[in-house]
Amino acid sequence: MDRAVEGPRVGVGHTPVHHQAVAEAVAATLRRRILNGELGDGDVLPKQDDLLAEFQVGRTTLRQAMWILETEGLVTVRRGKVGGAVVHAPRPQDAAHMFGMVMQARRVPLEDLSLALRSLEPVCVGLCARRPDRDRTVVPELQSVHDEMIRHLDDGAAYIRATRGFHEAIVRNCGNQTMQILLSAVEELWSRQERLWMTEGLRETGRTTRLAGALEHAQLIELIAAGDDVGAYHLAVRHLEGAHAFPLSAHGSRPVEAGD
């Protein structure tokens, strides 16, 4: 029998509701500790007996609380001799999966996701160009990813992966955390669509098209290095419109998929 003491019982016939409410309260406390950084990524939650003693609940209620956190992706409960709950800090990939499920349920077409990405990523490009430390932070990483693109001009799949890395580096280095989190999720969701196309055998762009895209990336790096945020923004708009034209021509009306 649970030993919960938080709040009055709702009545004999409603004990499961009471247990669920207490479980949610326990989960909320542990969630706050994870989100506030008291429990870091990879940490292990205290032993079950310690949690039972702290929250004054029974094992069933504690299991319900762990299940809530596990479904949110905040912990992984290990069974057996190495049991315990391992903490996972939230990641943009987690937000991308949630976005994807909502969009898939609403049958949002790919062209809608594309428009959001084409509207927001150029803002990140402009922010990269405004960073006073761009020569030490932004430009070296972009140049490294660009070099990877050049090495894979003859391999369509590898080139696409390197291209995604370039766009992700733009977002990651824009200097605005809200844009980083939001656009990282959108970038990840777009990348999931690309992986789906490749598994379905979508015809690849030719080497000439890939080289043109790489040259535009090189121009973006030059504009960012020069601190030309307006020029970099407008080039990014044109570049993304061209880059998205090919997949949209084949899949523009296709609903976004959350992926695995």
Side-chain angles (χ1 to χ4, degrees):
M1 179 178 294
D2 277 354
R3 295 176 284 120
V5 296
E6 300 92 335
R9 291 187 180 276
V10 184
V12 176
H14 299 278
T15 301
V17 175
H18 167 78
H19 288 175
Q20 182 62 26
V22 176
E24 290 172 354
V26 172
T29 298
L30 294 173
R31 185 187 302 114
R32 281 194 297 272
R33 293 176 186 175
I34 294 171
L35 299 181
N36 291 340
E38 298 174 47
L39 293 166
D41 191 57
D43 286 350
V44 178
L45 290 182
K47 295 179 180 179
Q48 184 181 79
D49 288 344
D50 294 335
L51 292 173
L52 293 173
E54 176 184 356
F55 292 107
Q56 288 294 293
V57 297
R59 296 183 187 277
T60 299
T61 299
L62 184 60
R63 281 196 295 270
Q64 290 174 340
M66 291 298 106
W67 180 82
I68 292 170
L69 296 175
E70 197 164 23
T71 57
E72 294 174 348
L74 294 176
V75 303
T76 296
V77 178
R78 302 181 302 189
R79 273 78 182 181
K81 293 182 179 179
V82 289
V86 180
V87 172
H88 304 297
R91 306 166 301 163
Q93 295 94 319
D94 302 323
H97 188 64
M98 181 58 68
F99 283 173
M101 289 194 295
V102 174
M103 295 175 76
Q104 185 171 343
R106 294 187 178 185
R107 309 295 290 173
V108 176
L110 180 68
E111 59 190 2
D112 194 278
L113 176 63
S114 169
L115 178 59
L117 191 54
R118 287 183 283 124
S119 300
L120 294 173
E121 188 179 318
V123 176
C124 288
V125 172
L127 290 172
C128 285
R130 293 180 204 168
R131 287 189 59 164
D133 61 349
R134 58 187 177 277
D135 288 337
R136 293 182 290 101
T137 54
V138 183
V139 174
E141 184 173 355
L142 293 181
Q143 188 61 57
S144 176
V145 181
H146 179 262
D147 293 343
E148 183 75 9
M149 291 171 56
I150 296 298
R151 285 194 293 272
H152 292 295
L153 281 174
D154 295 316
D155 184 340
Y159 175 85
I160 288 176
R161 288 193 295 271
T163 299
R164 295 307 326 146
F166 185 91
H167 290 274
E168 290 165 0
I170 288 282
V171 173
R172 186 165 56 250
N173 288 286
C174 73
N176 182 278
Q177 292 192 56
T178 302
M179 290 292 283
Q180 288 172 358
I181 295 168
L182 175 61
L183 264 294
S184 291
V186 176
E187 291 278 4
E188 170 64 22
L189 190 54
W190 180 265
S191 295
R192 292 183 183 190
Q193 311 315 301
E194 287 184 325
R195 291 194 288 271
L196 287 170
W197 305 331
M198 287 189 285
T199 60
E200 295 171 1
L202 176 68
R203 181 173 60 85
E204 295 178 354
T205 56
R207 190 183 193 279
T208 301
T209 301
R210 293 196 288 268
L211 178 59
L215 291 175
E216 287 186 342
H217 280 186
Q219 293 171 8
L220 274 176
I221 294 174
E222 291 177 2
L223 291 170
I224 290 172
D228 186 352
D229 58 321
V230 175
Y233 172 88
H234 288 296
L235 177 57
V237 170
R238 295 194 301 273
H239 170 71
L240 287 169
E241 287 177 349
H244 285 204
F246 180 69
L248 289 179
S249 66
H251 296 293
S253 60
R254 173 177 174 168
V256 171
E257 297 184 39
D260 298 327

